[in-house]
Amino acid sequence: IQVVLAAMEMQQYLETIHRNHSNDGRKVWDIVVSIHTGPVMANIMGKKKVAYEIKGDTVNITSRIESCGSLNKILISVMTYELVKEFFVCEYYGKLPVKYQKDLELYTVVGIKPELSLERKGLSPTRPFRIKYGLVQFNDIQEMILDKLENELPKDLYYHNVKHTVDVVTEAELIGWGEGVTEEEILLLKTAALFHDIGHIVEYDNHELRSTEFAREYLPKFKYKEEQIETICNTILATKLPNKPQNSLEEILCDSDLDYLGRPDFIPVSSALYEELKARNRVGSFNEWNKMQLKFISSHQYFTQTARKLREVNKQKQIERLMQIIK
């Protein structure tokens, strides 16, 4: 998506140069752009000034696509088309014979889809375009943050670990759609869920505040707006117990964070939390812990209608199980 946008910007710039110099007799470049998606190998060259030499079938095929392209057209392979078709208007161009492979289907990029563009020509992305792209880009952010959690979280975090973060991200999206929030709010919810426990890398007690510090450091690099970052940080802070959410996004994240209270795996997850607290000398015997859990879960109420529908019945079963264990 970024590469196609870059190609469109280059094309747009050259069109401007053509218009400005159409009558002065000066020659202006024409351009043919070809884009293909696939694996490559990169050789690093140079010491003081590092350069990268890209090799592989993907590079060779891209060169072949360029050789059959048309002036001032952006030509893409079917592999690229599948990744960008939700964002751009594309037209079928033809087939390219590829040695030892099937014929490769090619498309031309006409412009950004009308509903996602500020202009009739489809050259300027709208806010909905950026939000839609943000949901795609979220996978890159998630990979980076989960890798950081895997490598830097204390090893005795048996509950607040990578699995918990993945669970909360998944549940936040599920409850979010159930509550009818917008695409942008889904993006903000998933991002808040991804960052909500990363502060445990720094400290245990005040991890929510530390998590917002990580969010403020990382998210500008991924083009999140200041108001979006502020919403994400406030949503993270709302997960601090006792929960006091002030809006629907905060309610959704709070319910997602405590989703395990109404899940069938409540007992093993609760036991993992007990081991984590025990490692920090914050809990007594296992029987005392079960009594604490019973008191907590009995007084707990999910904020959203979706969470209540999904988890409330099973939560009552967990209360009965806890009572049996205590007896």
Side-chain angles (χ1 to χ4, degrees):
I1 297 165
Q2 287 178 322
V3 171
V4 172
L5 286 173
M8 290 172 58
E9 191 175 343
M10 293 161 66
Q11 194 179 56
Q12 202 173 1
Y13 179 76
L14 282 174
E15 286 175 2
T16 303
I17 298 296
H18 272 285
R19 285 195 301 270
N20 293 341
H21 295 283
S22 58
N23 298 320
D24 61 10
R26 294 170 64 184
K27 286 189 175 183
V28 181
W29 285 357
D30 288 310
I31 187 172
V32 178
V33 179
S34 64
I35 305 171
H36 179 48
T37 304
V40 297
M41 293 181 293
N43 292 332
I44 301 174
M45 304 166 63
K47 293 182 178 179
K48 291 185 178 179
K49 187 176 181 181
V50 177
Y52 298 90
E53 182 185 19
I54 308 297
K55 295 182 177 181
D57 285 345
T58 302
V59 178
N60 299 334
I61 292 171
T62 309
S63 180
R64 288 283 311 281
I65 296 171
E66 184 270 334
S67 66
C68 68
S70 302
L71 288 179
N72 303 316
K73 296 283 187 182
I74 300 172
L75 200 59
I76 63 174
S77 70
V78 66
M79 290 78 162
T80 304
Y81 169 75
E82 290 297 331
L83 296 173
V84 305
K85 64 183 180 182
E86 292 184 23
F87 296 85
F88 302 97
V89 177
C90 302
E91 294 178 352
Y92 183 73
Y93 185 81
K95 291 184 178 181
L96 174 70
V98 179
K99 196 173 183 180
Y100 306 123
Q101 298 182 37
K102 293 181 181 178
D103 290 351
L104 186 67
E105 293 181 327
L106 303 177
Y107 296 80
T108 56
V109 178
V110 178
I112 297 171
K113 286 193 170 184
E115 64 271 23
L116 299 175
S117 176
L118 292 170
E119 302 173 359
R120 288 175 60 190
K121 289 184 178 181
L123 299 176
S124 300
T126 59
R127 187 181 180 95
F129 180 101
R130 291 192 291 271
I131 292 164
K132 199 175 185 69
Y133 174 63
L135 287 167
V136 175
Q137 184 184 230
F138 177 80
N139 294 325
D140 296 332
I141 306 173
Q142 181 170 249
E143 184 178 345
M144 178 185 70
I145 295 302
L146 292 183
D147 185 62
K148 186 174 182 67
L149 291 171
E150 187 73 47
N151 292 316
E152 298 183 34
L153 279 177
K155 299 306 177 185
D156 58 357
L157 285 180
Y158 306 112
Y159 170 76
H160 292 100
N161 51 24
V162 173
K163 181 185 181 303
H164 172 68
T165 295
V166 172
D167 285 347
V168 176
V169 171
T170 304
E171 200 62 28
E173 182 173 16
L174 176 64
I175 298 175
W177 288 126
E179 292 295 295
V181 303
T182 65
E183 276 196 336
E184 181 175 10
E185 288 171 328
I186 288 291
L187 176 60
L188 301 184
L189 267 173
K190 291 176 67 176
T191 307
L194 181 64
F195 278 85
H196 87 286
D197 269 351
I198 194 172
H200 276 111
I201 290 173
V202 181
E203 65 174 301
Y204 195 81
D205 289 327
N206 208 23
H207 68 271
E208 296 90 357
L209 180 61
R210 298 299 188 186
S211 295
T212 65
E213 293 170 0
F214 278 102
R216 294 185 192 281
E217 176 187 351
Y218 281 91
L219 294 180
K221 301 173 186 176
F222 291 91
K223 309 301 182 186
Y224 281 70
K225 304 296 184 185
E226 184 57 41
E227 67 271 18
Q228 292 178 320
I229 296 173
E230 195 63 32
T231 299
I232 289 166
C233 290
N234 289 336
T235 307
I236 291 171
L237 292 173
T239 61
K240 188 175 181 67
L241 294 175
N243 295 148
K244 295 179 180 178
Q246 301 298 310
N247 56 50
S248 60
L249 293 190
E250 293 176 10
E251 289 179 350
I252 291 168
L253 190 60
C254 288
D255 283 353
S256 303
D257 195 26
L258 294 175
D259 177 63
Y260 82 97
L261 296 177
R263 288 204 317 245
D265 62 343
F266 167 78
I267 296 297
V269 173
S270 173
S271 298
L273 181 55
Y274 169 72
E275 293 299 330
E276 179 177 303
L277 294 171
K278 187 179 178 182
R280 287 160 178 76
N281 298 315
R282 300 186 181 211
V283 68
S285 68
F286 193 57
N287 196 54
E288 290 173 354
W289 166 246
N290 283 327
K291 288 179 180 179
M292 289 170 57
Q293 284 287 85
L294 178 60
K295 182 179 179 181
F296 180 77
I297 195 173
S298 298
S299 61
H300 172 267
Q301 291 290 328
Y302 286 114
F303 296 103
T304 63
Q305 186 177 359
T306 303
R308 288 194 292 269
K309 285 181 179 179
L310 287 171
R311 302 301 186 201
E312 197 60 48
V313 172
N314 202 64
K315 194 178 77 170
Q316 297 306 315
K317 292 181 180 178
Q318 303 310 328
I319 291 173
E320 293 171 8
R321 290 177 67 186
L322 277 172
M323 292 175 69
Q324 290 298 321
I325 291 172
I326 291 168
K327 285 180 182 178

